[in-house]
Amino acid sequence: MLEEIISKKYDLLKPFLDEKSKRLVAAAEALSLGKGNISIVSRATGISPDTIKKGCNELESGTSISDDKIRAPGGGRKKSVDKDPTLLSDLESLVEPTSRGDPESPLLWTCKSLRNLAKELQNMGHKVSHARVADMLRTLGYSLQANKKTIEGTEHPDRNKQFEHINEKCKEFQEEHQPVISVDTKKKELIGNFKNVGRELRPKKDPIPVNVYDFKDKELGKVNPYGVYDITNNEGWVNVGIDHDTASFAVESIRRWWNMMGCKSYPDAQQLLITADCGGSNGSRVRLWKTELQKLTDEIGLEISVCHFPPGTSKWNKIEHRLFSQITLNWRGKPLTSYEVIVNLIAATKNSKGLRVKCMLDTNKYPKGTKIEKKQVEELGIIHDEFHGEWNYTFKPKNMVN
C-alpha cells in the first residue's frame, strides 16, 4: 500500500523533474520513512538504491551539485569526440566544401550522406554511427543546403555607375510627371493540365490530378507573357503571346500598354523612359528592337528613352520582383489549362501595396529571323548618351528630328 502511494506521487511529479530533482525527491521520501526503507522507494520509483543513497547523503550534508549542473563533474557517458580526439577534425576534412572533386578526397565525387560519411570515418579507424555524425555536423554548423542561383555572370566595372544613372534618370522623369516603365518577358509557360509549383488550400487528400509528364501539348503549346510595369503608379500590363518572343512582340506589348493604360494615366506625356535587361527580345544589341521602337516613337509621338541594366543584373529589374513574382504567387498550385485561365489569373493579381494588373491574349504571329542591316539602324538617328551610349539612348519622332 505504501509503495503504491509513493509510486502515484512520483508519477505525478516525474514530468516536471530533471535527473537531479528525481534523485532528491526519492531521497526525501526515503528519509521521511527512515533509511531502512530505501528499497521501498526504489521499487516505487524505479530509481536504483545507490542513487537514492547519494541523494540522502546530499540532503543530510546540505551539499549538492551546483544549481546549473544535473550530474557531478565527470558524470555521464563520455562523448565520442572526447574519447576520439581526431574524430571531429577528420569529419570536417570530409565535408569541407572544397573536397568535392579533389583527387586527394576519400569521397571523390560521391554524395556526402550521413551513412557515407560514417562509413568513411569507420574506414579511417573511428567507431561512429550515422546518428553521431549528424550530431557532430550540427556542432560544426553544417546543414542540408540546396544549390542557390546567385551567380549571374562577369560583373561589369561600370555596373554600379549604370545603376546610379538609371536611378537618376527615373527620378528626373518622375519629377516631370513622365511615364517610367520596366519591361521584360516572363518565363515561358506550358499550356495544359501540367503541375504548377506551389500549394494552395484544398479538401484533405484531394489534390488536383495533373499529367505525370510535362510534354508540350502540340495544339496548345506555350505562352510568352511579356510584362510592362509602371513604376510610378504600381500598375502592370501583361501581353500573353502564343508565337515567338521577338523584338516585334516586345514593342507590340509596349504599344498595347500605351494604348490601353499609359495614355490614360499620362495624358500630357511628352517622353517615355523604358528600363530593360541587356539581353533577350529587348536586348541592347538587337537591331529589330531599335527599328521597332523608332516605329512606335513615330506612331505615338513620344520621345522614347531606353536604359538597359548591365549584363548579368536582370534580377535588379523592378518588374521581376514587383510584378512577375506576384503573378507567380497568385497562380501557385493551379494548372494553367487554357489561355483563358492564364489571362484571368494574371489579371486577378493584386497585393497589399495596391498593385493592379491588366492582361490580354496576343494571337498575332511574330516570325523569327527578321534581318535588319547595321546601316538601317544607323539611319534611325538614335541619340546615344555620353555615358555608355550602347546602354542608354533616345528615339525622337521623325517630325521632331528636323
Side-chain angles (χ1 to χ4, degrees), residues 277-293:
D277 295 344
C278 237
S281 57
N282 46 231
S284 60
R285 296 183 179 181
V286 180
R287 295 172 185 172
L288 182 60
W289 161 255
K290 294 175 180 177
T291 55
E292 291 294 321
L293 276 179

Side-chain angles (χ1 to χ4, degrees), residues 303-315:
E303 181 180 301
I304 297 180
S305 297
V306 182
C307 291
H308 290 278
F309 286 90
T313 60
S314 60
K315 294 188 188 305

Side-chain angles (χ1 to χ4, degrees), residues 310-337:
T313 60
S314 60
K315 294 188 188 305
W316 292 86
N317 200 350
K318 282 185 166 55
I319 194 171
E320 294 288 345
H321 46 88
R322 293 198 183 174
L323 178 59
F324 289 164
S325 63
Q326 301 301 315
I327 292 171
T328 301
L329 284 172
N330 189 57
W331 70 22
R332 69 185 186 277
K334 299 182 179 72
L336 307 177
T337 53

Side-chain angles (χ1 to χ4, degrees), residues 235-394:
E235 295 177 344
W237 167 266
V238 180
N239 192 36
V240 180
I242 62 174
D243 200 42
H244 301 295
D245 178 22
T246 67
S248 298
F249 168 63
V251 176
E252 174 61 22
S253 301
I254 298 171
R255 178 182 287 107
R256 292 188 177 199
W257 164 79
W258 175 254
N259 292 333
M260 299 292 291
M261 297 180 73
C263 64
K264 297 175 183 177
S265 299
Y266 303 94
D268 301 321
Q270 297 179 338
Q271 297 172 296
L272 168 64
L273 176 61
I274 301 173
T275 62
D277 295 344
C278 237
S281 57
N282 46 231
S284 60
R285 296 183 179 181
V286 180
R287 295 172 185 172
L288 182 60
W289 161 255
K290 294 175 180 177
T291 55
E292 291 294 321
L293 276 179
Q294 183 64 63
K295 291 178 185 177
L296 179 61
T297 299
D298 298 338
E299 180 184 322
I300 63 178
L302 293 182
E303 181 180 301
I304 297 180
S305 297
V306 182
C307 291
H308 290 278
F309 286 90
T313 60
S314 60
K315 294 188 188 305
W316 292 86
N317 200 350
K318 282 185 166 55
I319 194 171
E320 294 288 345
H321 46 88
R322 293 198 183 174
L323 178 59
F324 289 164
S325 63
Q326 301 301 315
I327 292 171
T328 301
L329 284 172
N330 189 57
W331 70 22
R332 69 185 186 277
K334 299 182 179 72
L336 307 177
T337 53
S338 67
Y339 299 139
E340 182 182 11
V341 168
I342 288 183
V343 170
N344 287 338
L345 285 172
I346 292 175
T349 302
K350 297 178 182 178
N351 66 11
S352 59
K353 295 186 178 180
L355 172 69
R356 67 186 185 95
V357 184
K358 289 187 179 181
C359 185
M360 176 184 286
L361 184 67
D362 188 342
T363 58
N364 293 339
K365 296 294 182 182
Y366 297 97
K368 297 171 68 176
T370 303
K371 298 290 184 181
I372 302 294
E373 299 297 330
K374 186 177 180 181
K375 185 178 180 181
Q376 292 176 260
V377 177
E378 292 172 349
E379 291 174 350
L380 295 177
I382 301 173
I383 302 172
H384 295 276
D385 286 14
E386 291 183 6
F387 178 74
H388 279 286
E390 75 279 16
W391 292 341
N392 309 291
Y393 47 87
T394 300

Side-chain angles (χ1 to χ4, degrees), residues 136-291:
M136 291 189 293
L137 287 174
R138 281 192 288 271
T139 301
L140 291 170
Y142 282 83
S143 64
L144 291 173
Q145 300 282 329
N147 298 153
K148 185 177 181 181
K149 292 183 178 181
T150 54
I151 303 173
E152 294 195 85
T154 306
E155 184 176 308
H156 195 282
D158 286 336
R159 189 189 78 155
N160 291 339
K161 289 183 179 179
Q162 177 64 4
F163 285 158
E164 293 171 4
H165 179 82
I166 292 173
N167 189 47
E168 289 302 318
K169 200 84 170 178
C170 288
K171 283 183 178 179
E172 178 186 320
F173 271 68
Q174 288 174 323
E175 287 171 359
E176 296 176 2
H177 305 288
Q178 302 299 309
V180 180
I181 60 175
S182 171
V183 302
D184 198 11
T185 307
K186 195 180 186 300
K187 180 177 73 72
K188 293 179 176 65
E189 301 289 348
L190 283 171
I191 307 302
N193 195 32
F194 302 109
K195 179 180 179 180
N196 198 359
V197 294
R199 297 181 294 177
E200 68 169 352
L201 290 172
R202 296 265 311 160
K204 193 173 182 180
K205 295 183 179 180
D206 184 29
I208 299 174
V210 296
N211 297 343
V212 174
Y213 303 107
D214 294 341
F215 297 132
K216 184 173 75 171
D217 187 304
K218 292 182 180 179
E219 292 184 6
L220 296 175
K222 297 181 178 181
V223 292
N224 307 305
Y226 192 94
V228 178
Y229 176 68
D230 183 339
I231 297 174
T232 306
N233 291 332
N234 192 26
E235 295 177 344
W237 167 266
V238 180
N239 192 36
V240 180
I242 62 174
D243 200 42
H244 301 295
D245 178 22
T246 67
S248 298
F249 168 63
V251 176
E252 174 61 22
S253 301
I254 298 171
R255 178 182 287 107
R256 292 188 177 199
W257 164 79
W258 175 254
N259 292 333
M260 299 292 291
M261 297 180 73
C263 64
K264 297 175 183 177
S265 299
Y266 303 94
D268 301 321
Q270 297 179 338
Q271 297 172 296
L272 168 64
L273 176 61
I274 301 173
T275 62
D277 295 344
C278 237
S281 57
N282 46 231
S284 60
R285 296 183 179 181
V286 180
R287 295 172 185 172
L288 182 60
W289 161 255
K290 294 175 180 177
T291 55

